[in-house]
Amino acid sequence: MAALQSLKYLVVKPRAAHTSTVIFLHGLGDSGDGWEPVAETLAPKFPNTKWILPHAPSTPVTINGGMRMPSWFDIMSLDGFDEEDEPGILKASRSVNELITNEVDAGISSNKIVLGGFSQGCALALATGLTTERKLGGLLALSGWLPLRNKMKAMMSDHARNLPIFWGHGRRDQVVHYEFGVQSVNWLKDTLKIKAVTFNSYNMEHSSHPQEIQDLAVWLDNLLKKSPETPAPDGSAGSSSAL
């Protein structure tokens, strides 16, 4: 196995003692910077939360004629997801798991870590969050799809069935079609037997929506209040290391 290359990322620092972390993965062709405005908007509502916004490496992407661009894994088609880059998804998942481990090593309880993503980043967040050995606090799934769904039942961790998931999707999405989102949510509920999936649809295309961000904030606030907060050791709160 090739050596794992650590992801570079942007950090929006907590305003107070660091007790929770949100790791959010951008979509194809974007970077962590693209979601910094959302993190900055939500940061005052979550003063104890550190936001980590990783940058995908630049790799060739089949659906774009092999052009290199920021991408978590290769995508063959957006008309269906029967052909998938399983090795690429699993490699990217290991990199995201490294970020999770870093937060746990810094003193953050795994159940105060929320992993999320948009579009391709959503797919990677689901692949990682459902299979990681860590008991995460929850998953944020925006305008994406469930990857490796025919294998996920065998791959998923024992505690994944109790994982809270917030899913937001645009009814007019012409990139990751709305029906793919609905199919993914039904698969999570009916096949994987995940108990706490919150699905919200919005009158939008392949983007985010102010109401979606508001709903996400309410969900996240309720989630983070469920377990006691333990500040990270002195010196780890407010870290701005953007590797």
Side-chain angles (χ1 to χ4, degrees):
M1 182 183 298
L4 191 66
Q5 184 174 2
S6 296
L7 294 172
K8 297 179 180 180
Y9 55 87
L10 173 72
V11 169
V12 174
K13 296 185 286 186
R15 272 56 168 172
H18 178 202
T19 60
S20 59
T21 298
V22 174
I23 302 171
F24 194 86
L25 310 172
H26 64 77
L28 178 67
D30 199 2
S31 71
D33 300 84
W35 285 87
E36 184 181 14
V38 174
E40 291 284 5
T41 297
L42 292 174
K45 298 180 177 67
F46 302 96
N48 303 107
T49 301
K50 172 183 177 182
W51 300 78
I52 297 178
L53 308 173
H55 309 298
S58 182
T59 60
V61 178
T62 298
I63 59 168
N64 288 330
M67 182 186 301
R68 297 183 69 88
M69 62 182 57
S71 181
W72 300 111
F73 50 86
D74 195 13
I75 299 178
M76 288 68 170
S77 170
L78 289 174
D79 293 327
F81 299 99
D82 295 330
E83 185 182 4
E84 295 185 279
D85 176 20
E86 182 176 350
I89 293 171
L90 297 181
K91 179 181 178 182
S93 182
R94 290 195 298 272
S95 294
V96 175
N97 264 308
E98 183 181 58
L99 296 179
I100 295 170
T101 296
N102 290 346
E103 292 304 293
V104 173
D105 290 347
I108 301 302
S109 174
S110 64
N111 70 348
K112 304 294 283 189
I113 298 173
V114 176
L115 178 61
F118 174 81
S119 193
Q120 187 193 40
C122 166
L124 178 56
L126 290 167
T128 305
L130 295 175
T131 61
T132 183
E133 63 183 17
R134 307 284 188 184
K135 293 184 179 180
L136 300 181
L139 299 179
L140 295 170
L142 305 184
S143 301
W145 70 95
L146 175 66
L148 308 175
R149 65 181 187 177
N150 290 320
K151 297 185 177 182
M152 190 56 66
K153 190 171 185 179
M155 295 171 60
M156 66 188 291
S157 65
D158 291 338
H159 49 261
R161 288 183 177 84
N162 297 314
L163 196 59
I165 299 175
F166 175 94
W167 194 299
H169 214 111
R171 294 187 293 272
R172 296 185 290 113
D173 195 327
Q174 294 300 310
V175 179
V176 181
H177 294 291
Y178 179 68
E179 57 263 32
F180 291 149
V182 172
Q183 289 168 11
S184 293
V185 168
N186 289 339
W187 196 274
L188 290 171
K189 292 179 176 180
D190 300 337
T191 302
L192 301 186
K193 306 299 181 185
I194 296 179
K195 302 173 182 177
V197 182
T198 300
F199 178 68
N200 291 344
S201 65
Y202 303 92
N203 183 27
M204 65 178 184
E205 297 181 354
H206 193 62
S207 61
S208 61
H209 188 281
Q211 184 61 52
E212 179 183 45
I213 301 305
Q214 183 177 329
D215 293 342
L216 182 159
V218 171
W219 177 88
L220 183 60
D221 185 50
N222 290 332
L223 185 77
L224 294 178
K225 285 177 178 175
K226 284 183 178 179
S227 54
E229 295 189 343
T230 303
D234 289 346
S236 61
S239 171
S240 60
S241 171
L243 301 178

